[in-house]
Amino acid sequence: MSATGGTTPSPPGSPGPLGRARTRYGENAVRVVLVAAALVSVATTIGIVISLVPPTVEFFEAVSPVEFFTGTEWAPLFEPAAYGVLPLVGATLLITLIAVVVAIPLGLGAALYLSEYAHARTRGIFKPVLEVLAGVPTVVYGFFALRFVTPALQAYLPPGLQPDIFNALAAGLVMGVMIVPTVASLSEDAMAAVPSGLRDGAYALGSSTRLVAVRVVVPAALSGIVASFVLAISRAIGETMIVAIASGNKPALSLNPLDAMQTMTGFIAQAGSGDLPTGSLDYKTIFAVGALLFLITLVMNVISARLVRRYREVYE
C-alpha cells in the first residue's frame, strides 16, 4: 500500500494478488481445437459446394433450367429423356409434410410431458428410451414401413383407399416417427433452460401446470422449439433409405399419398448405385438434383437462424 492509500502496481512477471502469473497453455490448446473444429465444418461445406457446382453447371449447359424447374415429367435415364424435376420435389415435400404432421405434435407433447409433468426419475428413464429411436438405422425404418406399416394400412383402410405396395403415406408416417426424438429432445432441452423463477411466479399467481406449460414455458423456449422443428424438417427432406425402400422409384407428380413416388434423395440413391458412365449427362443429373437439395436445405437453415434470432429470449 502506498502513502496515499492506493495500490502499488506489481512489476511485470511478479505474482499477482490472485496467485502466481503463468501462461495458460491448456486454455490456448482448447481454443486452437475449437477453431480447428469450426474450420473443418466450414471447409466441408465449401468442399461440398465445389464438388456440386461444376457438374451442375455442365448439366444446365445441356438442359434448359426452365425445363428442369417447371417440367412435370422426370425420366433422365430413358428415351426420350425428360428432365422436369417437379415430380421429385413434389414427392419430397409431400412425404416431409406427412412426417411433420406426425412428428411435431408427438415430439412437442413428449417434450412438454418430460419438462413439466414427469418426475425426475421418470424423465431419466423415458428420455433415453425416446432417444433410442434416433439411433435406429434408417434402413430398419424403411423395411418397417414396407413390411409392417403398408400391410397394416392395406388391412385397415376401407376399400378404395388402400395404398400401393410402395406409397408415400407409409414412408411419411415412419419418417415422422424417426424424427420425433429430434423434436422432443431439442424442445425439452430448450424448456429445461427456462428459468425456474418464471414457473414459480406463474404458480404463485394460481396458474395450473397446463397454463404454466402453454403460457409461460413454451413462449420462453420458442426459439429452441422452432430450431428443433426446422432441424427435423431438414432431416426429413434429406432422408434417403426410408423413401428409397418404402415410397418406390416411380416419379409422379401427384398429391395422393397412397401412390408410389420417388423423392430427390430416392433418385440420387437409385442413380448413384447404378452403372451410369462417369461424365455423361445422365450422371450429371445426380449433381443437379443434389445441388437443388443442398439449396433447399440451405434456405431452411437460413430461415431457422432468422426465426431463432427473432424469438430468442435472453434472461439475466
Side-chain angles (χ1 to χ4, degrees):
M1 297 291 290
S2 64
T4 58
T7 302
T8 303
S10 302
S14 63
L18 298 180
R20 184 172 58 88
R22 63 182 181 273
T23 305
R24 297 180 178 180
Y25 296 107
E27 183 176 342
N28 293 335
V30 170
R31 184 182 295 109
V32 170
V33 170
L34 295 177
V35 171
L39 291 177
V40 167
S41 302
V42 174
T44 302
T45 303
I46 295 175
I48 293 174
V49 173
I50 292 175
S51 66
L52 288 176
V53 168
T56 303
V57 172
E58 295 173 2
F59 172 82
F60 284 116
E61 289 176 351
V63 177
S64 169
V66 175
E67 177 187 357
F68 182 77
F69 289 107
T70 63
T72 58
E73 294 186 8
W74 179 259
L77 310 181
F78 300 94
E79 292 293 339
Y83 298 99
V85 79
L86 285 183
L88 301 184
V89 175
T92 300
L93 296 180
L94 178 60
I95 294 176
T96 300
L97 177 62
I98 296 173
V100 167
V101 170
V102 173
I104 287 182
L106 292 179
L108 187 57
L112 283 171
Y113 171 74
L114 293 174
S115 174
E116 305 304 316
Y117 291 90
H119 295 290
R121 185 175 180 181
T122 305
R123 186 184 304 113
I125 296 174
F126 277 21
K127 190 171 182 180
V129 171
L130 180 65
E131 291 177 347
V132 165
L133 293 175
V136 177
T138 56
V139 65
V140 175
Y141 281 113
F143 281 109
F144 173 71
L146 181 64
R147 302 289 296 179
F148 180 81
V149 177
T150 295
L153 293 175
Q154 292 174 333
Y156 292 105
L157 288 179
L161 294 178
Q162 296 179 346
D164 299 334
I165 295 296
F166 301 102
N167 61 90
L169 180 59
L173 292 175
V174 174
M175 188 183 296
V177 173
M178 181 196 70
I179 62 177
V180 162
T182 301
V183 177
S185 181
L186 294 180
S187 297
E188 197 273 334
D189 290 341
M191 295 176 188
V194 175
S196 58
L198 295 179
R199 296 180 175 87
D200 295 339
Y203 284 128
L205 294 174
S207 299
S208 63
T209 303
R210 180 182 63 83
L211 286 177
V212 171
V214 175
R215 301 285 183 87
V216 176
V217 176
V218 170
L222 189 58
S223 62
I225 294 173
V226 171
S228 72
F229 291 170
V230 176
L231 181 61
I233 294 172
S234 298
R235 185 177 180 189
I237 291 175
E239 172 53 36
T240 301
M241 293 310 301
I242 293 177
V243 294
I245 295 173
S247 68
N249 56 5
K250 178 184 177 182
L253 185 60
S254 172
L255 295 178
N256 186 358
L258 304 178
D259 295 338
M261 298 181 183
Q262 186 176 49
T263 64
M264 290 186 286
T265 54
F267 168 76
I268 293 173
Q270 177 199 12
S273 61
D275 54 354
L276 297 178
T278 302
S280 64
L281 182 60
D282 295 341
Y283 179 77
K284 294 172 185 175
T285 57
I286 300 175
F287 293 90
V289 176
L292 178 59
L293 186 62
F294 178 83
L295 181 62
I296 293 174
T297 305
L298 177 63
V299 171
M300 291 289 299
N301 290 335
V302 171
I303 294 174
S304 173
R306 292 179 64 90
L307 290 175
V308 168
R309 284 197 300 267
R310 179 175 180 180
Y311 295 109
R312 175 176 295 169
E313 298 285 349
V314 179
Y315 303 100
E316 296 295 337

PDB file of all heavy atoms in Angstrom, residues 71-107:
ATOM      1  N   GLY A  71     -40.735 -28.484 -65.547  1.00  0.00           N
ATOM      2  CA  GLY A  71     -41.234 -29.688 -66.207  1.00  0.00           C
ATOM      3  C   GLY A  71     -41.927 -30.621 -65.242  1.00  0.00           C
ATOM      4  O   GLY A  71     -41.567 -30.711 -64.063  1.00  0.00           O
ATOM      5  N   THR A  72     -42.919 -31.351 -65.724  1.00  0.00           N
ATOM      6  CA  THR A  72     -43.709 -32.249 -64.876  1.00  0.00           C
ATOM      7  C   THR A  72     -43.406 -33.723 -65.136  1.00  0.00           C
ATOM      8  O   THR A  72     -44.087 -34.591 -64.596  1.00  0.00           O
ATOM      9  CB  THR A  72     -45.205 -31.999 -65.089  1.00  0.00           C
ATOM     10  OG1 THR A  72     -45.522 -32.185 -66.479  1.00  0.00           O
ATOM     11  CG2 THR A  72     -45.584 -30.585 -64.669  1.00  0.00           C
ATOM     12  N   GLU A  73     -42.402 -34.005 -65.971  1.00  0.00           N
ATOM     13  CA  GLU A  73     -42.011 -35.387 -66.228  1.00  0.00           C
ATOM     14  C   GLU A  73     -40.530 -35.544 -65.949  1.00  0.00           C
ATOM     15  O   GLU A  73     -39.717 -34.717 -66.373  1.00  0.00           O
ATOM     16  CB  GLU A  73     -42.322 -35.787 -67.679  1.00  0.00           C
ATOM     17  CG  GLU A  73     -43.807 -35.824 -68.007  1.00  0.00           C
ATOM     18  CD  GLU A  73     -44.069 -36.360 -69.404  1.00  0.00           C
ATOM     19  OE1 GLU A  73     -43.091 -36.829 -70.037  1.00  0.00           O
ATOM     20  OE2 GLU A  73     -45.222 -36.310 -69.849  1.00  0.00           O
ATOM     21  N   TRP A  74     -40.185 -36.612 -65.241  1.00  0.00           N
ATOM     22  CA  TRP A  74     -38.798 -36.876 -64.890  1.00  0.00           C
ATOM     23  C   TRP A  74     -38.430 -38.274 -65.366  1.00  0.00           C
ATOM     24  O   TRP A  74     -38.861 -39.276 -64.798  1.00  0.00           O
ATOM     25  CB  TRP A  74     -38.590 -36.759 -63.380  1.00  0.00           C
ATOM     26  CG  TRP A  74     -37.181 -37.044 -62.939  1.00  0.00           C
ATOM     27  CD1 TRP A  74     -36.714 -38.202 -62.385  1.00  0.00           C
ATOM     28  CD2 TRP A  74     -36.056 -36.162 -63.019  1.00  0.00           C
ATOM     29  NE1 TRP A  74     -35.376 -38.099 -62.121  1.00  0.00           N
ATOM     30  CE2 TRP A  74     -34.945 -36.847 -62.494  1.00  0.00           C
ATOM     31  CE3 TRP A  74     -35.883 -34.857 -63.482  1.00  0.00           C
ATOM     32  CZ2 TRP A  74     -33.683 -36.281 -62.422  1.00  0.00           C
ATOM     33  CZ3 TRP A  74     -34.630 -34.287 -63.395  1.00  0.00           C
ATOM     34  CH2 TRP A  74     -33.545 -34.993 -62.873  1.00  0.00           C
ATOM     35  N   ALA A  75     -37.654 -38.356 -66.434  1.00  0.00           N
ATOM     36  CA  ALA A  75     -37.193 -39.641 -66.968  1.00  0.00           C
ATOM     37  C   ALA A  75     -35.833 -39.439 -67.622  1.00  0.00           C
ATOM     38  O   ALA A  75     -35.688 -39.604 -68.837  1.00  0.00           O
ATOM     39  CB  ALA A  75     -38.205 -40.201 -67.960  1.00  0.00           C
ATOM     40  N   PRO A  76     -34.803 -39.072 -66.850  1.00  0.00           N
ATOM     41  CA  PRO A  76     -33.499 -38.783 -67.446  1.00  0.00           C
ATOM     42  C   PRO A  76     -32.772 -40.023 -67.941  1.00  0.00           C
ATOM     43  O   PRO A  76     -31.841 -39.906 -68.745  1.00  0.00           O
ATOM     44  CB  PRO A  76     -32.734 -38.118 -66.301  1.00  0.00           C
ATOM     45  CG  PRO A  76     -33.345 -38.686 -65.069  1.00  0.00           C
ATOM     46  CD  PRO A  76     -34.789 -38.887 -65.387  1.00  0.00           C
ATOM     47  N   LEU A  77     -33.157 -41.199 -67.481  1.00  0.00           N
ATOM     48  CA  LEU A  77     -32.444 -42.419 -67.826  1.00  0.00           C
ATOM     49  C   LEU A  77     -33.129 -43.208 -68.923  1.00  0.00           C
ATOM     50  O   LEU A  77     -32.725 -44.339 -69.223  1.00  0.00           O
ATOM     51  CB  LEU A  77     -32.287 -43.306 -66.580  1.00  0.00           C
ATOM     52  CG  LEU A  77     -31.722 -42.620 -65.329  1.00  0.00           C
ATOM     53  CD1 LEU A  77     -31.591 -43.619 -64.192  1.00  0.00           C
ATOM     54  CD2 LEU A  77     -30.378 -41.966 -65.621  1.00  0.00           C
ATOM     55  N   PHE A  78     -34.155 -42.628 -69.547  1.00  0.00           N
ATOM     56  CA  PHE A  78     -34.907 -43.318 -70.583  1.00  0.00           C
ATOM     57  C   PHE A  78     -34.935 -42.472 -71.850  1.00  0.00           C
ATOM     58  O   PHE A  78     -34.525 -41.318 -71.865  1.00  0.00           O
ATOM     59  CB  PHE A  78     -36.338 -43.617 -70.109  1.00  0.00           C
ATOM     60  CG  PHE A  78     -36.398 -44.481 -68.881  1.00  0.00           C
ATOM     61  CD1 PHE A  78     -36.488 -43.911 -67.617  1.00  0.00           C
ATOM     62  CD2 PHE A  78     -36.364 -45.861 -68.979  1.00  0.00           C
ATOM     63  CE1 PHE A  78     -36.542 -44.696 -66.476  1.00  0.00           C
ATOM     64  CE2 PHE A  78     -36.416 -46.655 -67.846  1.00  0.00           C
ATOM     65  CZ  PHE A  78     -36.506 -46.071 -66.596  1.00  0.00           C
ATOM     66  N   GLU A  79     -35.431 -43.071 -72.918  1.00  0.00           N
ATOM     67  CA  GLU A  79     -35.589 -42.365 -74.191  1.00  0.00           C
ATOM     68  C   GLU A  79     -37.067 -42.313 -74.543  1.00  0.00           C
ATOM     69  O   GLU A  79     -37.755 -43.342 -74.505  1.00  0.00           O
ATOM     70  CB  GLU A  79     -34.809 -43.075 -75.305  1.00  0.00           C
ATOM     71  CG  GLU A  79     -33.300 -43.000 -75.156  1.00  0.00           C
ATOM     72  CD  GLU A  79     -32.763 -41.593 -75.317  1.00  0.00           C
ATOM     73  OE1 GLU A  79     -33.469 -40.750 -75.917  1.00  0.00           O
ATOM     74  OE2 GLU A  79     -31.657 -41.334 -74.826  1.00  0.00           O
ATOM     75  N   PRO A  80     -37.601 -41.123 -74.897  1.00  0.00           N
ATOM     76  CA  PRO A  80     -36.923 -39.822 -74.874  1.00  0.00           C
ATOM     77  C   PRO A  80     -36.758 -39.325 -73.435  1.00  0.00           C
ATOM     78  O   PRO A  80     -37.632 -39.526 -72.597  1.00  0.00           O
ATOM     79  CB  PRO A  80     -37.856 -38.927 -75.679  1.00  0.00           C
ATOM     80  CG  PRO A  80     -39.205 -39.523 -75.459  1.00  0.00           C
ATOM     81  CD  PRO A  80     -38.989 -41.009 -75.354  1.00  0.00           C
ATOM     82  N   ALA A  81     -35.661 -38.668 -73.180  1.00  0.00           N
ATOM     83  CA  ALA A  81     -35.357 -38.201 -71.831  1.00  0.00           C
ATOM     84  C   ALA A  81     -36.218 -36.997 -71.472  1.00  0.00           C
ATOM     85  O   ALA A  81     -36.571 -36.181 -72.333  1.00  0.00           O
ATOM     86  CB  ALA A  81     -33.881 -37.835 -71.714  1.00  0.00           C
ATOM     87  N   ALA A  82     -36.577 -36.900 -70.193  1.00  0.00           N
ATOM     88  CA  ALA A  82     -37.331 -35.762 -69.672  1.00  0.00           C
ATOM     89  C   ALA A  82     -36.678 -35.336 -68.358  1.00  0.00           C
ATOM     90  O   ALA A  82     -36.340 -36.180 -67.526  1.00  0.00           O
ATOM     91  CB  ALA A  82     -38.801 -36.131 -69.441  1.00  0.00           C
ATOM     92  N   TYR A  83     -36.510 -34.033 -68.191  1.00  0.00           N
ATOM     93  CA  TYR A  83     -35.727 -33.520 -67.070  1.00  0.00           C
ATOM     94  C   TYR A  83     -36.528 -32.560 -66.188  1.00  0.00           C
ATOM     95  O   TYR A  83     -35.959 -31.678 -65.569  1.00  0.00           O
ATOM     96  CB  TYR A  83     -34.469 -32.823 -67.582  1.00  0.00           C
ATOM     97  CG  TYR A  83     -33.536 -33.742 -68.331  1.00  0.00           C
ATOM     98  CD1 TYR A  83     -33.537 -33.775 -69.722  1.00  0.00           C
ATOM     99  CD2 TYR A  83     -32.663 -34.577 -67.655  1.00  0.00           C
ATOM    100  CE1 TYR A  83     -32.684 -34.624 -70.410  1.00  0.00           C
ATOM    101  CE2 TYR A  83     -31.800 -35.425 -68.326  1.00  0.00           C
ATOM    102  CZ  TYR A  83     -31.818 -35.447 -69.713  1.00  0.00           C
ATOM    103  OH  TYR A  83     -30.972 -36.279 -70.398  1.00  0.00           O
ATOM    104  N   GLY A  84     -37.821 -32.740 -66.098  1.00  0.00           N
ATOM    105  CA  GLY A  84     -38.615 -31.913 -65.191  1.00  0.00           C
ATOM    106  C   GLY A  84     -38.549 -32.440 -63.773  1.00  0.00           C
ATOM    107  O   GLY A  84     -38.980 -33.566 -63.490  1.00  0.00           O
ATOM    108  N   VAL A  85     -38.009 -31.655 -62.856  1.00  0.00           N
ATOM    109  CA  VAL A  85     -37.739 -32.138 -61.506  1.00  0.00           C
ATOM    110  C   VAL A  85     -38.933 -31.991 -60.555  1.00  0.00           C
ATOM    111  O   VAL A  85     -38.878 -32.456 -59.413  1.00  0.00           O
ATOM    112  CB  VAL A  85     -36.519 -31.378 -60.933  1.00  0.00           C
ATOM    113  CG1 VAL A  85     -36.925 -29.987 -60.452  1.00  0.00           C
ATOM    114  CG2 VAL A  85     -35.852 -32.159 -59.806  1.00  0.00           C
ATOM    115  N   LEU A  86     -40.013 -31.388 -61.021  1.00  0.00           N
ATOM    116  CA  LEU A  86     -41.154 -31.162 -60.136  1.00  0.00           C
ATOM    117  C   LEU A  86     -41.719 -32.438 -59.508  1.00  0.00           C
ATOM    118  O   LEU A  86     -42.125 -32.414 -58.337  1.00  0.00           O
ATOM    119  CB  LEU A  86     -42.258 -30.407 -60.884  1.00  0.00           C
ATOM    120  CG  LEU A  86     -42.005 -28.917 -61.124  1.00  0.00           C
ATOM    121  CD1 LEU A  86     -43.212 -28.279 -61.807  1.00  0.00           C
ATOM    122  CD2 LEU A  86     -41.713 -28.194 -59.813  1.00  0.00           C
ATOM    123  N   PRO A  87     -41.780 -33.589 -60.218  1.00  0.00           N
ATOM    124  CA  PRO A  87     -42.261 -34.805 -59.536  1.00  0.00           C
ATOM    125  C   PRO A  87     -41.410 -35.197 -58.340  1.00  0.00           C
ATOM    126  O   PRO A  87     -41.943 -35.617 -57.304  1.00  0.00           O
ATOM    127  CB  PRO A  87     -42.198 -35.866 -60.645  1.00  0.00           C
ATOM    128  CG  PRO A  87     -42.345 -35.096 -61.901  1.00  0.00           C
ATOM    129  CD  PRO A  87     -41.628 -33.806 -61.669  1.00  0.00           C
ATOM    130  N   LEU A  88     -40.101 -35.035 -58.441  1.00  0.00           N
ATOM    131  CA  LEU A  88     -39.224 -35.364 -57.312  1.00  0.00           C
ATOM    132  C   LEU A  88     -39.412 -34.382 -56.170  1.00  0.00           C
ATOM    133  O   LEU A  88     -39.479 -34.774 -54.997  1.00  0.00           O
ATOM    134  CB  LEU A  88     -37.758 -35.365 -57.757  1.00  0.00           C
ATOM    135  CG  LEU A  88     -37.373 -36.325 -58.885  1.00  0.00           C
ATOM    136  CD1 LEU A  88     -35.866 -36.262 -59.127  1.00  0.00           C
ATOM    137  CD2 LEU A  88     -37.808 -37.747 -58.578  1.00  0.00           C
ATOM    138  N   VAL A  89     -39.511 -33.093 -56.507  1.00  0.00           N
ATOM    139  CA  VAL A  89     -39.706 -32.076 -55.473  1.00  0.00           C
ATOM    140  C   VAL A  89     -41.061 -32.254 -54.794  1.00  0.00           C
ATOM    141  O   VAL A  89     -41.184 -32.171 -53.564  1.00  0.00           O
ATOM    142  CB  VAL A  89     -39.576 -30.666 -56.072  1.00  0.00           C
ATOM    143  CG1 VAL A  89     -39.889 -29.596 -55.023  1.00  0.00           C
ATOM    144  CG2 VAL A  89     -38.169 -30.449 -56.624  1.00  0.00           C
ATOM    145  N   GLY A  90     -42.105 -32.514 -55.593  1.00  0.00           N
ATOM    146  CA  GLY A  90     -43.437 -32.697 -55.025  1.00  0.00           C
ATOM    147  C   GLY A  90     -43.498 -33.891 -54.085  1.00  0.00           C
ATOM    148  O   GLY A  90     -44.086 -33.816 -53.000  1.00  0.00           O
ATOM    149  N   ALA A  91     -42.881 -35.014 -54.476  1.00  0.00           N
ATOM    150  CA  ALA A  91     -42.871 -36.192 -53.607  1.00  0.00           C
ATOM    151  C   ALA A  91     -42.091 -35.920 -52.325  1.00  0.00           C
ATOM    152  O   ALA A  91     -42.512 -36.332 -51.235  1.00  0.00           O
ATOM    153  CB  ALA A  91     -42.260 -37.377 -54.354  1.00  0.00           C
ATOM    154  N   THR A  92     -40.976 -35.217 -52.437  1.00  0.00           N
ATOM    155  CA  THR A  92     -40.182 -34.889 -51.257  1.00  0.00           C
ATOM    156  C   THR A  92     -40.978 -34.038 -50.282  1.00  0.00           C
ATOM    157  O   THR A  92     -41.001 -34.298 -49.069  1.00  0.00           O
ATOM    158  CB  THR A  92     -38.893 -34.151 -51.671  1.00  0.00           C
ATOM    159  OG1 THR A  92     -38.129 -34.992 -52.546  1.00  0.00           O
ATOM    160  CG2 THR A  92     -38.065 -33.791 -50.453  1.00  0.00           C
ATOM    161  N   LEU A  93     -41.647 -33.010 -50.791  1.00  0.00           N
ATOM    162  CA  LEU A  93     -42.408 -32.117 -49.919  1.00  0.00           C
ATOM    163  C   LEU A  93     -43.625 -32.816 -49.322  1.00  0.00           C
ATOM    164  O   LEU A  93     -43.970 -32.589 -48.157  1.00  0.00           O
ATOM    165  CB  LEU A  93     -42.834 -30.870 -50.702  1.00  0.00           C
ATOM    166  CG  LEU A  93     -41.694 -29.982 -51.211  1.00  0.00           C
ATOM    167  CD1 LEU A  93     -42.253 -28.776 -51.963  1.00  0.00           C
ATOM    168  CD2 LEU A  93     -40.807 -29.525 -50.060  1.00  0.00           C
ATOM    169  N   LEU A  94     -44.295 -33.678 -50.101  1.00  0.00           N
ATOM    170  CA  LEU A  94     -45.471 -34.374 -49.588  1.00  0.00           C
ATOM    171  C   LEU A  94     -45.099 -35.323 -48.455  1.00  0.00           C
ATOM    172  O   LEU A  94     -45.752 -35.338 -47.395  1.00  0.00           O
ATOM    173  CB  LEU A  94     -46.158 -35.141 -50.718  1.00  0.00           C
ATOM    174  CG  LEU A  94     -47.391 -35.971 -50.328  1.00  0.00           C
ATOM    175  CD1 LEU A  94     -48.475 -35.076 -49.743  1.00  0.00           C
ATOM    176  CD2 LEU A  94     -47.918 -36.759 -51.517  1.00  0.00           C
ATOM    177  N   ILE A  95     -44.059 -36.128 -48.650  1.00  0.00           N
ATOM    178  CA  ILE A  95     -43.641 -37.061 -47.610  1.00  0.00           C
ATOM    179  C   ILE A  95     -43.136 -36.305 -46.385  1.00  0.00           C
ATOM    180  O   ILE A  95     -43.398 -36.694 -45.239  1.00  0.00           O
ATOM    181  CB  ILE A  95     -42.575 -38.017 -48.165  1.00  0.00           C
ATOM    182  CG1 ILE A  95     -43.192 -38.914 -49.239  1.00  0.00           C
ATOM    183  CG2 ILE A  95     -41.957 -38.861 -47.052  1.00  0.00           C
ATOM    184  CD1 ILE A  95     -42.204 -39.826 -49.931  1.00  0.00           C
ATOM    185  N   THR A  96     -42.426 -35.198 -46.603  1.00  0.00           N
ATOM    186  CA  THR A  96     -41.967 -34.386 -45.478  1.00  0.00           C
ATOM    187  C   THR A  96     -43.145 -33.798 -44.712  1.00  0.00           C
ATOM    188  O   THR A  96     -43.131 -33.750 -43.473  1.00  0.00           O
ATOM    189  CB  THR A  96     -41.048 -33.252 -45.985  1.00  0.00           C
ATOM    190  OG1 THR A  96     -39.923 -33.830 -46.658  1.00  0.00           O
ATOM    191  CG2 THR A  96     -40.567 -32.384 -44.838  1.00  0.00           C
ATOM    192  N   LEU A  97     -44.181 -33.358 -45.421  1.00  0.00           N
ATOM    193  CA  LEU A  97     -45.365 -32.816 -44.766  1.00  0.00           C
ATOM    194  C   LEU A  97     -46.033 -33.873 -43.892  1.00  0.00           C
ATOM    195  O   LEU A  97     -46.428 -33.592 -42.743  1.00  0.00           O
ATOM    196  CB  LEU A  97     -46.344 -32.294 -45.811  1.00  0.00           C
ATOM    197  CG  LEU A  97     -47.677 -31.750 -45.275  1.00  0.00           C
ATOM    198  CD1 LEU A  97     -47.444 -30.550 -44.364  1.00  0.00           C
ATOM    199  CD2 LEU A  97     -48.613 -31.373 -46.435  1.00  0.00           C
ATOM    200  N   ILE A  98     -46.169 -35.087 -44.397  1.00  0.00           N
ATOM    201  CA  ILE A  98     -46.759 -36.164 -43.597  1.00  0.00           C
ATOM    202  C   ILE A  98     -45.914 -36.423 -42.349  1.00  0.00           C
ATOM    203  O   ILE A  98     -46.439 -36.586 -41.236  1.00  0.00           O
ATOM    204  CB  ILE A  98     -46.887 -37.442 -44.445  1.00  0.00           C
ATOM    205  CG1 ILE A  98     -47.859 -37.215 -45.612  1.00  0.00           C
ATOM    206  CG2 ILE A  98     -47.373 -38.609 -43.584  1.00  0.00           C
ATOM    207  CD1 ILE A  98     -47.907 -38.363 -46.599  1.00  0.00           C
ATOM    208  N   ALA A  99     -44.597 -36.438 -42.534  1.00  0.00           N
ATOM    209  CA  ALA A  99     -43.707 -36.671 -41.397  1.00  0.00           C
ATOM    210  C   ALA A  99     -43.822 -35.567 -40.362  1.00  0.00           C
ATOM    211  O   ALA A  99     -43.822 -35.824 -39.146  1.00  0.00           O
ATOM    212  CB  ALA A  99     -42.265 -36.793 -41.887  1.00  0.00           C
ATOM    213  N   VAL A 100     -43.935 -34.332 -40.809  1.00  0.00           N
ATOM    214  CA  VAL A 100     -44.040 -33.196 -39.887  1.00  0.00           C
ATOM    215  C   VAL A 100     -45.353 -33.250 -39.120  1.00  0.00           C
ATOM    216  O   VAL A 100     -45.398 -32.970 -37.908  1.00  0.00           O
ATOM    217  CB  VAL A 100     -43.899 -31.879 -40.665  1.00  0.00           C
ATOM    218  CG1 VAL A 100     -44.309 -30.687 -39.802  1.00  0.00           C
ATOM    219  CG2 VAL A 100     -42.463 -31.707 -41.147  1.00  0.00           C
ATOM    220  N   VAL A 101     -46.438 -33.618 -39.794  1.00  0.00           N
ATOM    221  CA  VAL A 101     -47.732 -33.725 -39.121  1.00  0.00           C
ATOM    222  C   VAL A 101     -47.686 -34.775 -38.016  1.00  0.00           C
ATOM    223  O   VAL A 101     -48.358 -34.643 -36.980  1.00  0.00           O
ATOM    224  CB  VAL A 101     -48.830 -34.059 -40.159  1.00  0.00           C
ATOM    225  CG1 VAL A 101     -50.133 -34.427 -39.468  1.00  0.00           C
ATOM    226  CG2 VAL A 101     -49.050 -32.881 -41.093  1.00  0.00           C
ATOM    227  N   VAL A 102     -46.900 -35.815 -38.209  1.00  0.00           N
ATOM    228  CA  VAL A 102     -46.749 -36.841 -37.176  1.00  0.00           C
ATOM    229  C   VAL A 102     -45.783 -36.390 -36.087  1.00  0.00           C
ATOM    230  O   VAL A 102     -46.058 -36.526 -34.887  1.00  0.00           O
ATOM    231  CB  VAL A 102     -46.266 -38.164 -37.811  1.00  0.00           C
ATOM    232  CG1 VAL A 102     -45.934 -39.191 -36.729  1.00  0.00           C
ATOM    233  CG2 VAL A 102     -47.313 -38.714 -38.750  1.00  0.00           C
ATOM    234  N   ALA A 103     -44.644 -35.832 -36.482  1.00  0.00           N
ATOM    235  CA  ALA A 103     -43.538 -35.618 -35.538  1.00  0.00           C
ATOM    236  C   ALA A 103     -43.752 -34.421 -34.624  1.00  0.00           C
ATOM    237  O   ALA A 103     -43.414 -34.478 -33.435  1.00  0.00           O
ATOM    238  CB  ALA A 103     -42.229 -35.449 -36.308  1.00  0.00           C
ATOM    239  N   ILE A 104     -44.282 -33.320 -35.144  1.00  0.00           N
ATOM    240  CA  ILE A 104     -44.371 -32.112 -34.329  1.00  0.00           C
ATOM    241  C   ILE A 104     -45.337 -32.278 -33.158  1.00  0.00           C
ATOM    242  O   ILE A 104     -44.975 -31.970 -32.009  1.00  0.00           O
ATOM    243  CB  ILE A 104     -44.718 -30.903 -35.207  1.00  0.00           C
ATOM    244  CG1 ILE A 104     -43.491 -30.507 -36.041  1.00  0.00           C
ATOM    245  CG2 ILE A 104     -45.188 -29.726 -34.355  1.00  0.00           C
ATOM    246  CD1 ILE A 104     -43.693 -29.296 -36.913  1.00  0.00           C
ATOM    247  N   PRO A 105     -46.570 -32.766 -33.348  1.00  0.00           N
ATOM    248  CA  PRO A 105     -47.429 -32.954 -32.168  1.00  0.00           C
ATOM    249  C   PRO A 105     -46.869 -33.970 -31.176  1.00  0.00           C
ATOM    250  O   PRO A 105     -46.872 -33.730 -29.959  1.00  0.00           O
ATOM    251  CB  PRO A 105     -48.756 -33.435 -32.773  1.00  0.00           C
ATOM    252  CG  PRO A 105     -48.725 -32.991 -34.191  1.00  0.00           C
ATOM    253  CD  PRO A 105     -47.296 -33.063 -34.602  1.00  0.00           C
ATOM    254  N   LEU A 106     -46.384 -35.110 -31.681  1.00  0.00           N
ATOM    255  CA  LEU A 106     -45.851 -36.127 -30.777  1.00  0.00           C
ATOM    256  C   LEU A 106     -44.590 -35.642 -30.076  1.00  0.00           C
ATOM    257  O   LEU A 106     -44.419 -35.822 -28.864  1.00  0.00           O
ATOM    258  CB  LEU A 106     -45.556 -37.414 -31.556  1.00  0.00           C
ATOM    259  CG  LEU A 106     -46.765 -38.184 -32.094  1.00  0.00           C
ATOM    260  CD1 LEU A 106     -46.306 -39.422 -32.852  1.00  0.00           C
ATOM    261  CD2 LEU A 106     -47.700 -38.589 -30.963  1.00  0.00           C
ATOM    262  N   GLY A 107     -43.695 -35.026 -30.827  1.00  0.00           N
ATOM    263  CA  GLY A 107     -42.446 -34.567 -30.234  1.00  0.00           C
ATOM    264  C   GLY A 107     -42.646 -33.451 -29.234  1.00  0.00           C
ATOM    265  O   GLY A 107     -42.062 -33.462 -28.138  1.00  0.00           O
TER     266      GLY A 107
END
